Amino acid sequence: MLTKRIIPCLDIKNGRTVKGVNFVDLRDAGDPVELAKQYADQGADELVFLDITATLEARATTLEMVLHVAEQVNIPFTVGGGISSVEHVDALLKNGADKVSVNSSAVKRPELVNELADKFGSQCVVVAIDAKKIDNDWFVHLAGGTIPTDIKLFEWAKEVEKRGAGEILFTSMNHDGTKNGFANEALAKLSDILNIPIIASGGAGNVQHFVDTFKEGKSDAALAASVFHFGEIPIPELKKELKKQDIVVRL
Amino acid sequence: MKLVIINYGAGNIKSIQFAFNRLGYEAILSNDPEEIKAADKVIFPGVGEASSAMKMLKESGLDTLIPTLKQPVLGICLGMQLMCLHTEEGDTEGLGIFQTKVKRFSNDVKVPQMGWNIIKELKSDLFKGIKENEYMYLVHSYYAEHCNETIAATDYEINYASALQHNNFYGTQFHPEKSGNEGAKILRNFINMKPLALS
């Protein structure tokens, strides 16, 4: 059976990992390659690198970093952050990224999703969606969740699937940073209305939250940052517990 | 040891090159028929969509060259699919090395299949040291139907051929280069394969 995936997310600035990372046995916690290798050894199924600088100068640095990660890491990884052109994606894939994720740029110019899917195949196009529940509706937000739009989450998700997205990375801004669990109701609805894999993001605080998002949220994968970086939830233990609760994982 | 990765379009083939580097082998990227013929081992990666990939192969004459190769050839993902008789993707005729057809998963499951799944019923030296039910990384919307050349099986909606072998030709639907240390073992096994005996 296809397993549920556990995906650590690393924020990258100028080619270096940011946010405190608290691995005791790391020589250099800011080195994305070393961190990535560590996560691969722990049993992470994939990795996501989110470039939070995304200035033009930083772009070259990120490309360099992608090349080094591809050289040394033997599990798949996605690169996101500030990607808005076919050329940029081409460079990232040529440097060894397996997938790219696009977010605000796809909202501003939805044809980008078609262009990427046509040229590189849907399998490497992840559309990241940040959304917030306001009254009873989920609205898409841009630029790391800072700019609200009147675009509705489920309509937008449907549209990007039709345009060729291979996967959706959904972050609930109501849950992100709370450590109170994932947005399982919205995630389950996404899984019901779409036929592509859904990655849950935002809200991971304990092991049960992962169990819940795979069961109630019908998520195909779960992404988290701080609970992994600070060693609050070691991946091997997380996977053992998931297995105990009848969730198919790679051990 | 001269390893050549057939380079016939855009996409991520760096990963394959790096995976061989990690095993201590240099692999060069080439679409030059002479260079490919002279290689000890040939890797035929999967890139993008089937009909346009096939078109690119034809433009460089590689469609006629590949089936005549005598050294071990490893097709990965779409590479493996193009080595079959036919694929539903773009209604494309394949190279006809493997006597099977490639179909699309139905919409009863999420498509593409993306992630780690089990390979079982392992039947080739390609899997020496790999245990039954090992996890490999797969990303695909189309699958090869079983045939006599099946050397590994995987379940996703149905039971299908996740690896194929015909003489010196090997194909894996999964990505050994992205399947952790176990995937690396498969690449090492491939490097140890002998060419088809010349009579």
Side-chain angles (χ1 to χ4, degrees):
Chain A
M1 246 175 101
L2 182 64
T3 68
K4 301 290 188 180
R5 287 170 283 153
I6 299 296
I7 308 177
C9 177
L10 302 165
D11 284 353
I12 301 296
K13 195 172 186 180
N14 301 318
R16 305 268 300 165
T17 324
V18 293
K19 273 189 187 172
V21 174
N22 198 12
F23 281 171
V24 279
D25 43 355
L26 276 185
R27 278 167 301 156
D28 178 0
D31 179 4
V33 175
E34 207 182 328
L35 254 180
K37 279 169 75 173
Q38 179 113 353
Y39 276 127
D41 289 344
Q42 289 182 2
D45 296 302
E46 272 182 51
L47 298 166
V48 167
F49 293 94
L50 190 60
D51 189 356
I52 58 170
T53 37
T55 59
L56 279 176
E57 308 87 70
R59 191 172 290 181
T61 319
T62 307
L63 279 176
E64 187 81 1
M65 181 213 84
V66 167
L67 193 69
H68 291 310
V69 172
E71 261 170 5
Q72 299 199 39
V73 176
N74 56 15
I75 59 169
F77 67 96
T78 303
V79 181
I83 298 170
S84 59
S85 72
V86 170
E87 294 71 33
H88 190 189
V89 171
D90 190 47
L92 287 165
L93 297 179
K94 281 198 172 126
N95 275 21
D98 297 283
K99 307 184 229 179
V100 296
S101 82
V102 291
N103 191 335
S104 303
S105 56
V107 175
K108 287 179 194 148
R109 202 173 66 79
E111 299 76 29
L112 178 66
V113 179
N114 304 68
E115 291 165 13
L116 296 179
D118 289 348
K119 182 148 168 70
F120 308 107
S122 292
Q123 81 289 339
C124 62
V125 184
V126 182
V127 174
I129 306 177
D130 299 333
K132 192 174 187 176
K133 194 174 186 182
I134 300 167
D135 297 328
N136 262 327
D137 259 325
W138 285 89
F139 290 96
V140 175
H141 283 57
L142 303 182
T146 54
I147 304 171
T149 72
D150 54 7
I151 302 167
K152 290 187 177 172
L153 164 67
F154 299 109
E155 288 166 21
W156 175 236
K158 265 283 196 208
E159 178 175 346
V160 297
E161 178 186 45
K162 210 183 287 169
R163 288 180 180 274
E167 205 167 21
I168 302 271
L169 166 55
F170 167 55
T171 304
S172 161
M173 294 168 52
N174 304 70
H175 297 72
D176 200 24
T178 64
K179 298 201 172 184
N180 282 330
F182 294 92
N184 293 326
E185 207 178 309
L187 283 159
K189 185 165 175 192
L190 283 172
S191 252
D192 287 340
I193 62 169
L194 302 183
N195 201 40
I196 53 177
I198 310 292
I199 306 169
S201 159
N206 61 41
V207 171
Q208 190 58 37
H209 293 153
F210 287 88
V211 174
D212 293 344
T213 201
F214 292 135
K215 288 190 174 167
E216 294 158 29
K218 302 182 185 176
S219 304
D220 298 286
L223 176 143
S226 59
V227 291
F228 296 141
H229 300 332
F230 293 106
E232 291 164 29
I233 304 179
I235 291 174
E237 284 166 37
L238 168 61
K239 286 189 146 183
K240 265 182 227 150
E241 186 56 33
L242 289 171
K243 194 183 177 184
K244 217 185 275 173
Q245 301 211 34
D246 298 321
I247 290 161
V248 187
V249 288
R250 178 178 68 111
L251 275 178
Chain B
M1 173 78 66
K2 194 173 169 204
L3 294 174
V4 171
I5 300 169
I6 300 179
N7 183 15
Y8 61 106
N12 178 6
I13 48 179
K14 267 284 196 303
S15 295
I16 300 174
Q17 197 175 20
F18 287 145
F20 283 108
N21 290 163
R22 289 194 292 270
L23 294 172
Y25 295 91
E26 285 297 322
I28 59 163
L29 308 177
S30 175
N31 65 352
D32 172 22
E34 291 310 313
E35 203 155 28
I36 293 168
K37 265 193 257 178
D40 295 303
K41 304 278 163 5
V42 175
I43 296 95
F44 179 33
V47 178
E49 190 270 337
S51 64
S52 45
M54 201 62 198
K55 200 169 147 235
M56 289 190 272
L57 284 178
K58 282 183 175 160
E59 278 164 9
S60 44
L62 295 173
D63 61 320
T64 50
L65 172 73
I66 293 170
T68 66
L69 294 172
K70 299 286 182 280
Q71 61 272 64
V73 177
L74 175 63
I76 297 175
C77 197
L78 178 64
M80 182 203 86
Q81 296 184 355
L82 293 177
M83 290 159 83
C84 299
L85 291 168
H86 177 269
T87 167
E88 285 185 355
E89 189 177 20
D91 189 15
T92 308
E93 290 301 316
L95 302 176
I97 295 165
F98 301 129
Q99 300 305 303
T100 188
K101 291 186 173 179
V102 177
K103 305 245 154 109
R104 194 179 189 278
F105 288 121
S106 85
N107 284 336
D108 294 344
V109 287
K110 289 195 175 184
V111 183
Q113 167 173 225
M114 186 173 302
W116 299 77
N117 201 340
I118 278 168
I119 57 167
K120 56 187 181 180
E121 296 155 47
L122 308 178
K123 262 187 226 149
S124 162
D125 280 351
L126 192 62
F127 301 121
K128 206 188 274 177
I130 302 290
K131 62 179 200 302
E132 278 288 314
N133 300 321
E134 187 54 77
Y135 285 103
M136 292 289 151
Y137 186 77
L138 302 125
V139 183
H140 61 125
S141 304
Y142 296 79
Y143 65 91
E145 294 184 309
H146 279 304
C147 63
N148 291 336
E149 293 152 333
T150 299
I151 54 169
T154 294
D155 290 308
Y156 190 66
E157 184 184 24
I158 46 123
N159 184 265
Y160 67 94
S162 47
L164 296 161
Q165 182 190 351
H166 174 75
N167 296 330
N168 55 317
F169 293 96
Y170 302 83
T172 63
Q173 181 59 65
F174 51 87
H175 288 270
E177 77 280 13
K178 284 287 162 185
S179 295
N181 299 335
E182 297 307 304
K185 274 188 205 167
I186 293 175
L187 294 180
R188 187 177 288 286
N189 288 339
F190 173 70
I191 285 173
N192 291 331
M193 293 296 178
K194 301 274 178 288
L196 189 64
L198 297 167
S199 52

